């Protein structure tokens, strides 16, 4: 099967993410399992309260995201999808949602974990965190 046809969704969005949209994107009659990862803004980082954060993406980030999703596909995978937020987020907002479907759960879970790991280290998206004490930090520069 064509790798690109199995990349069902690979987008950056400056709007709330939907777990249902990502799960629906990887639905496939050949799939018996779906691996899902949902990343959300947490209340603390480095033992400091997080007030908000901003995600900024390089202009090539969406194409890189597509390439990353494509790169982790194995013959066992029926479909994969990934969406990542940009813009300002607050505690509890979804920052990233990835899903992978496969005939069997082991492949779906393994490739889902690989997908989020490669995404976090490869896609040029930078996080600017603002803490309750007024300090801030850039992550991923």
């Amino acid at each position: 099967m064509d790798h690109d046809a199995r990349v069902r969704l690979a987008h950056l969005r400056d709007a709330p993410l939907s777990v249902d949209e990502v799960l629906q994107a990887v639905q496939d009659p050949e799939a018996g399992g779906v691996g899902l990862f949902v990343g959300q803004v947490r209340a603390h980082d480095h033992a400091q309260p997080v007030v908000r954060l901003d995600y900024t993406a390089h202009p090539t980030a969406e194409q890189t995201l597509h390439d990353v999703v494509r790169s982790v596909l194995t013959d066992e995978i029926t479909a994969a999808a990934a969406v990542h937020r940009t813009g300002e987020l607050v505690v509890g907002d979804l920052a990233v949602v990835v899903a992978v479907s496969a005939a069997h759960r082991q492949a779906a879970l393994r490739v889902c974990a690989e997908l989020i790991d490669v995404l976090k280290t490869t896609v040029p998206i930078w996080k600017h965190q603002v803490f309750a004490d007024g300090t801030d930090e850039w992550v991923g520069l």
Side-chain angles (χ1 to χ4, degrees):
M1 180 183 276
D2 177 37
H3 275 70
D4 284 323
R6 294 185 290 158
V7 177
R8 304 278 177 82
L9 183 63
H11 291 290
L12 302 182
R13 300 228 173 103
D14 187 15
L17 303 182
S18 164
V19 172
D20 288 340
E21 176 193 23
V22 177
L23 283 173
Q24 190 171 26
V26 299
Q27 292 301 308
D28 192 284
E30 299 301 317
V34 174
L36 173 70
F37 175 79
V38 179
Q40 61 187 20
V41 179
R42 63 183 172 267
H44 289 83
D45 197 14
H46 309 298
Q48 294 186 69
V50 173
V51 175
R52 66 177 171 81
L53 57 81
D54 293 285
Y55 281 105
T56 304
H58 188 274
T60 63
E62 192 163 85
Q63 181 59 52
T64 304
L65 177 60
H66 182 276
D67 294 344
V68 164
V69 175
R70 187 178 185 278
S71 76
V72 300
L73 296 176
T74 65
D75 289 343
E76 306 161 292
I77 303 306
T78 57
V83 291
H84 200 295
R85 274 291 301 272
T86 58
E88 187 173 317
L89 286 76
V90 297
V91 173
D93 283 349
L94 302 185
V96 61
V97 181
V98 301
V100 175
S101 62
H104 303 286
R105 72 180 179 277
Q106 295 91 344
L109 292 170
R110 183 181 69 250
V111 174
C112 183
E114 181 182 358
L115 174 54
I116 190 60
D117 289 347
V118 175
L119 184 161
K120 295 294 282 181
T121 59
T122 307
V123 180
I125 298 171
W126 305 285
K127 178 171 63 172
H128 180 219
Q129 296 189 111
V130 178
F131 299 104
D133 67 2
T135 61
D136 67 340
E137 117 180 293
W138 284 90
V139 180
L141 287 180

